[in-house]
Amino acid sequence: MMAECALTGLLQETLQVFTRTFPGYEPSAVVAAPGRVNLIGEHTDYNQGFVLPMALPLVTVVLGCQSTDGIISLLTTAKEADEPKHLEFPVPTESNPLSPGLPRWANYVKGVIQYYRAGPLPGFKAVMASNVPIGGGLSSSASVEVAMYTFLQQICPDDGNLLEKALACQKAEHTFAGMPCGIMDQFISVMGKKDHALLIDCRSLEVTPVPLTDPSLVVLITNSNVRHTLTGSEYPTRRKQCMEAAKVLKKESLRDASMMDLKAAEAHLDPEVYCRARHVISEIKRTTDAAKALSCRDYQEFGKLMVQSHNSLRDDYEVSCPELDELVTAAMDGEGVYGSRMTGGGFGGCTVTLVDAAAVEKTIQRIKDKYSGTATFYITKPSKGAHVLKL
């Protein structure tokens, strides 16, 4: 109910901004695409491993209509977005393609428009709004990309191929936003399933739905409100280190490596690269084990694997931070909590905690009391992927 109220408010805000910004135009389409929380399987997607995310009720909304002037006019309501927040540019053509630039927020949108898989696109007027926290590790960028793609499908339909849609959005983030992300974020935003987490094989792109319907269970997201920027050197550096380790191990990717392979090659690896590979190899196994545990409703085992994942991300992959460590420690220091871990790229953002529904309020209060910063909390459930809304 809270999520429905939040979406209604977001839609009303978007419609008001559209009416004020584009007088004389009537919106013809409105769509939503969710953010996601990754329950376990961090930094494994670009190593062809497994991930276990779920789509969130937090979404990006795009509302708009076609225009006949050959101009794309787009406005974002995001307070965090850099200026200008209202952009106009010609519909791209083969001889006049779009290119990345400033403002940075527009690169995610421009990339999707450039790589849209049907055409020619018409001009359009649109407003974009979101309640996915920016920089929180809940994939606000993929939510924006998939929402824009879904809007374009309403004004210029493509063939409806969901996998190609996710790949086009990933390409936009790689080339326009400069972020070499794996496929997980775009994939779950496109294909999320209500009441299920999705075990995604990032090599074959095979999806196994994992039911998450137990009413006695709550997924609690805690935003540290520490911002991170993954387009710095840290994320690309980790990715290069994984590729270096795979090369030394003579594997296509770390997905193919075992801990025995890694230990046998330890003398030939830089100690830091060794640790990075140890996280990925162990995390891939933890993820498949966790999916089995969740399917069997073995929440104790699932929670144990979550904590092991956090410790590995903190110690071997070195993408945690004091605030995230503090939140995990506070969450685990009480009854009714199965497990907790950082989620997302790292260096700030959110933790995800699996907790008994009867203990969630006490858990939130305990985290508030123990956390040195100011946290924001979201009690969530698995939601559906990108979809068209009624005007």
Side-chain angles (χ1 to χ4, degrees), residues 40-41 50 52 199 210 281-306 308:
I40 194 167
F50 290 88
L52 188 65
L199 179 67
V210 181
I281 294 167
S282 62
E283 184 79 348
I284 289 171
K285 184 175 189 306
R286 273 191 293 271
T287 304
T288 54
D289 289 347
K292 289 174 190 170
L294 195 58
S295 297
C296 299
R297 297 195 173 195
D298 187 349
Y299 305 137
Q300 296 286 353
E301 177 64 15
F302 189 91
K304 184 178 79 172
L305 292 164
M306 289 177 80
Q308 288 176 3

Side-chain angles (χ1 to χ4, degrees), residues 7-26:
L7 178 57
T8 300
L10 194 64
L11 274 173
Q12 289 174 343
E13 174 199 357
T14 312
L15 183 57
Q16 287 169 3
V17 173
F18 182 91
T19 302
R20 191 167 61 243
T21 308
F22 304 113
Y25 286 90
E26 287 287 331

Side-chain angles (χ1 to χ4, degrees), residues 136 220-226 307 310 314 320-334 337 339-343 348-353 363-377:
L220 174 66
I221 297 170
T222 306
N223 191 345
S224 68
N225 289 310
V226 175
V307 173
H310 180 80
R314 180 193 64 204
S320 188
C321 63
E323 293 88 353
L324 292 174
D325 298 340
E326 208 176 295
L327 288 174
V328 168
T329 300
M332 294 304 299
D333 190 23
V337 176
S340 186
R341 60 184 286 277
M342 62 155 279
T343 186
C350 294
T351 61
V352 57
T353 303
T363 302
I364 289 172
Q365 190 57 53
R366 183 172 65 252
I367 294 171
K368 284 181 179 177
D369 293 342
K370 293 185 176 228
Y371 181 47
S372 57
T374 303
T376 308
F377 300 90

Side-chain angles (χ1 to χ4, degrees), residues 311-325:
N311 293 343
S312 180
L313 287 158
R314 180 193 64 204
D315 299 335
D316 276 351
Y317 223 63
E318 295 185 279
V319 291
S320 188
C321 63
E323 293 88 353
L324 292 174
D325 298 340

